[in-house]
Amino acid sequence: MRLRVEFTTEPFDLEEAPAHALAAREVVETASLDAVDVGPFGNTAEGGAERVLTVVDTLLRRSLAAGATRISLQVNVLGDESGEDGR
């Protein structure tokens, strides 16, 4: 199964990226996922279910430890490992 995770961390700081946002970015960028898009107002990453779920766990723990007060998270099923839609 393939998953896509979309997330944001708060509080926002438009002047410079806060420590919790940098922690989240580091987690997804170093996780060997298939696709990662990091932006100022939202982030997405895609990959196999086990890897994405492990990344979500690490992302939550590190972002909270770095000062996040809220993490908005959405996980979508994209299909199976062959890319076919699983719905």
Side-chain angles (χ1 to χ4, degrees):
M1 175 184 325
R2 290 186 45 77
L3 301 175
R4 175 186 299 130
V5 61
E6 300 174 47
F7 66 92
T8 58
T9 61
E10 295 179 40
F12 293 113
D13 183 344
L14 296 178
E15 299 293 320
E16 97 181 51
H20 57 81
L22 295 175
R25 179 182 302 166
E26 180 182 3
V27 169
V28 296
E29 289 181 336
T30 61
S32 299
L33 294 168
D34 299 335
V36 173
D37 183 21
V38 177
F41 300 109
N43 310 283
T44 62
E46 296 178 14
E50 286 304 314
R51 182 161 308 270
V52 170
L53 293 173
T54 298
V55 166
V56 167
D57 177 63
T58 304
L59 181 142
L60 292 171
R61 292 175 189 277
R62 290 195 187 161
S63 297
L64 291 168
T69 57
R70 178 182 173 130
I71 302 169
S72 300
L73 179 74
Q74 180 173 317
V75 177
N76 293 301
V77 175
L78 299 178
D80 64 21
E81 287 295 328
S82 68
E84 294 179 27
D85 190 353
R87 289 177 265 176

